[in-house]
Amino acid sequence: MNKLHNRLLRSALLAIAGLAPAAAFAGSGTNNLAVSATVSSSCSITSTTALAFGTATASTLPLDGQGALSFTCTNTTPWMVFGDVGQNASGSQRRMVNAGQYLAYNIYSDSARSTVFPVALGSLGSGNTGGTGTGLSQTVTVYGRIPAGTALPAPGTYTDTIVLTLNW
């Protein structure tokens, strides 16, 4: 009986609450809020992936590797990537170094390794290392090669650093 009494009491309270008048408002008003933003032509480098050749032996040459530069440019912004010759170059020949000995290599802008990666700014938006921004992440791949016939120096780990520049 007690359970029935509680249910009836709850039902009655809910019914009474439903009959209560809603709060009265004195009035209301509206107005517009202007919203704006200016998007400027820009690019931002987000990451690089190292160009790693792995282990070079007389039987592995030519030895290929690849690295990458990832970035984001605003939509329709023309861009171009180029790279310097590295810290250990002899003239235009890129070289890695270890304890005063050098290992020659080259970088290319195509997977066939037939077009040398540019070392100076060319026309924005053109070539294998140029394009137009999409507003989303984009990537330029750097294709490397230690050529066949390269004289291999003493065993060790050889390194170099190339500065890649993204212009827009």
Side-chain angles (χ1 to χ4, degrees), residues 32-156:
N32 296 329
L33 172 67
V35 179
S36 68
T38 301
V39 176
S40 62
S41 180
S42 65
C43 295
S44 176
I45 296 173
T46 54
S47 67
T48 57
T49 303
L51 168 57
F53 288 104
T55 302
T57 66
S59 64
T60 60
L61 297 182
L63 183 59
D64 292 342
Q66 68 183 50
L69 175 74
S70 296
F71 54 92
T72 302
C73 292
T74 50
N75 193 24
T76 72
T77 299
W79 53 265
M80 184 187 180
V81 176
F82 63 95
D84 68 6
V85 293
Q87 296 177 339
N88 306 295
S90 176
S92 62
Q93 178 59 63
R94 291 180 167 96
R95 303 182 308 172
M96 295 175 271
V97 67
N98 177 22
Q101 294 197 32
Y102 298 94
L103 178 57
Y105 71 99
N106 297 308
I107 62 171
Y108 303 89
S109 61
D110 64 322
S111 61
R113 290 165 175 82
S114 60
T115 304
V116 175
F117 205 90
V119 293
L121 179 62
S123 297
L124 290 175
S126 66
N128 293 338
T129 65
T132 303
T134 63
L136 301 171
S137 182
Q138 294 176 269
T139 300
V140 168
T141 302
V142 178
Y143 300 93
R145 174 170 283 166
I146 299 172
T150 298
L152 292 176

